[in-house]
Amino acid sequence: MSERRALPRWTAESRLVVVLRGERASDYVPVIDTLVEAGVRSVELTLTTPGTLDALPGFVERYGDTADVGVGTVTGTDEVDVAADGGARYLVTPVSDPAVVDRALERDVAVVPGGLTPTELWSTWRRGVPAVKLFPAGQVGPAYLKDLRGPFPDLAVVPSGGVDLEAAHAWLDAGAAAVSVGGPLLGDALSGGDLAALSARARRFVNVCAGSGNA
């Protein structure tokens, strides 16, 4: 097994990753401003949003002193390189692809690869990643993590997909390293929704993630 990497500090401490997926990266600034002001310390910018990699260096410059800026939906080694060059603090993949994982580790960027089955999760965990993304988490639930902890007691898991406020609490109590949250927190913020309401939702998630589960 390779030497274990670590999650970026703010991501590990806050135990909350907010996933942004919108029509264009240029829509992100007021939303991320609101999230950071509400206490969010880790944002994942997804590559399914046009313009993400082009905009990444600017986001890192704007938020890098207050939050970890990561890149998600990474599926190719070329994307790893561009994201690493752009200053991403971490990468997230939707699948268990050894080539992508190994390239991220070669670039010394924390990577959280996705998987659902024990085989998928273990295949990337053993390569030395800081955590694995359990996806789609809403299809299994926190009891699944407790079962995984039998054969894999040290597995660091970040559930993603369908994680609302109640589920975030349950996943962290079950031993998740962090939770990955999108729609239940963001609501309609990326399509012109009320930013004050977004701030209130974000603060509730921040408080739950700071207080649930093992410190």
Side-chain angles (χ1 to χ4, degrees):
M1 183 180 294
S2 303
E3 180 180 353
R4 180 77 50 208
R5 290 348 190 246
L7 285 171
R9 178 172 65 88
W10 285 318
T11 302
E13 291 177 356
S14 67
R15 304 193 300 170
L16 172 64
V17 177
V18 179
V19 182
L20 287 90
R21 194 183 306 277
E23 292 187 5
R24 50 193 172 272
S26 58
D27 295 336
Y28 284 165
V29 169
V31 173
I32 302 178
D33 283 351
T34 301
L35 293 173
V36 170
E37 185 178 346
V40 171
R41 292 293 173 257
S42 184
V43 292
E44 176 189 329
L45 313 180
T46 55
L47 293 187
T48 51
T49 300
T52 293
L53 289 177
D54 289 337
L56 176 62
F59 288 129
V60 172
E61 181 177 2
R62 184 180 182 94
Y63 304 109
D65 290 338
T66 51
D68 292 326
V69 178
V71 173
T73 325
V74 176
T75 57
T77 56
D78 56 335
E79 295 169 344
V80 171
D81 288 333
V82 177
D85 291 342
R89 294 269 175 85
Y90 62 89
L91 307 177
V92 182
T93 81
V95 294
S96 303
D97 187 331
V100 171
V101 170
D102 290 348
R103 185 59 179 160
L105 296 176
E106 289 169 7
R107 293 298 306 267
D108 199 27
V109 180
V111 57
V112 182
L116 181 63
T117 69
T119 298
E120 290 169 338
L121 297 170
W122 175 251
S123 69
T124 50
W125 173 251
R126 67 189 297 273
R127 304 182 99 80
V129 301
V132 290
K133 180 176 82 167
L134 180 60
F135 174 79
Q139 300 302 311
V140 287
Y144 187 65
L145 176 54
K146 292 181 179 180
D147 290 341
L148 287 172
R149 283 296 178 81
F152 309 122
D154 299 325
L155 191 69
V157 173
V158 180
S160 179
V163 179
D164 60 14
L165 191 64
E166 181 179 359
H169 194 298
W171 278 109
L172 291 166
D173 280 348
V179 291
S180 174
V181 179
L185 190 159
L186 292 169
D188 61 355
L190 285 171
S191 56
D194 185 351
L195 294 180
L198 171 65
S199 178
R201 290 191 300 271
R203 291 180 190 278
R204 287 194 289 272
F205 272 90
V206 167
N207 289 338
V208 162
C209 292
S212 296
N214 299 320

